[in-house]
Amino acid sequence: MIFRTSLFAVLSLAFALSAHAADFQTYQAADVELGQADFASATTTQGVANRFVNSAGVAMDPTTGKVFVADSTNNRVLRFSSAAAAQNGANPEAVFGQQNFSGHLPNQGGTLSGTTFDTPGYVYVDSSGRLWVADFN
């Protein structure tokens, strides 16, 4: 799926990650903000479903259009329904690495396991729709 004139911003504190089409123009405004209520907000509360504390990576599933964001400080990866349906401050539809959207402790406050994260960073979705996550700790 190719999005031609859309620019999606994932903001956290003082940096931004952007995914954009080939026809992106310098200084083009973003269409949607994920991780904050709007473009003027900058809250960093841990364990809130639609807020990022430190977004480190973003990827789109080429088979479904779902968007994945690594929220490193909350030790989770969030899945959003689709880039096409994204709205400012949208709630994610799923969380990986935590038992629920309010969880934020590394390894869910316990020991390392196959269902937890401790500072996930880069995310990638391959052509078969498999999600790959680089977990830094």
Side-chain angles (χ1 to χ4, degrees):
M1 182 175 289
I2 297 173
F3 294 90
R4 288 245 170 240
T5 58
S6 295
L7 171 67
F8 299 95
V10 179
L11 297 177
S12 175
L13 297 177
F15 71 93
L17 303 170
S18 300
H20 53 81
D23 58 351
F24 169 74
Q25 301 296 315
T26 302
Y27 302 111
Q28 178 178 336
D31 297 315
V32 174
E33 169 130 11
L34 297 175
Q36 294 294 328
D38 54 45
F39 291 104
S41 298
T43 59
T44 59
T45 306
Q46 284 188 303
V48 177
N50 64 349
R51 298 289 183 270
F52 307 140
V53 177
N54 188 6
S55 55
V58 62
M60 186 183 326
D61 184 335
T63 63
T64 65
K66 293 182 184 291
V67 175
F68 296 85
V69 178
D71 184 8
S72 291
T73 302
N74 278 318
N75 301 291
R76 65 188 183 182
V77 173
L78 297 173
R79 183 181 71 204
F80 293 86
S81 62
S82 74
Q87 297 177 8
N88 289 348
N91 284 317
E93 66 177 13
V95 60
F96 304 100
Q98 296 293 340
Q99 292 178 345
N100 53 48
F101 290 108
S102 62
H104 64 275
L105 295 175
N107 297 313
Q108 298 175 6
T111 58
L112 179 67
S113 79
T115 61
T116 66
F117 289 123
D118 183 353
T119 318
Y122 304 109
V123 290
Y124 172 74
V125 183
D126 66 22
S127 60
S128 298
R130 291 178 296 225
L131 174 66
W132 298 83
V133 178
D135 195 4
F136 291 114
N137 290 318

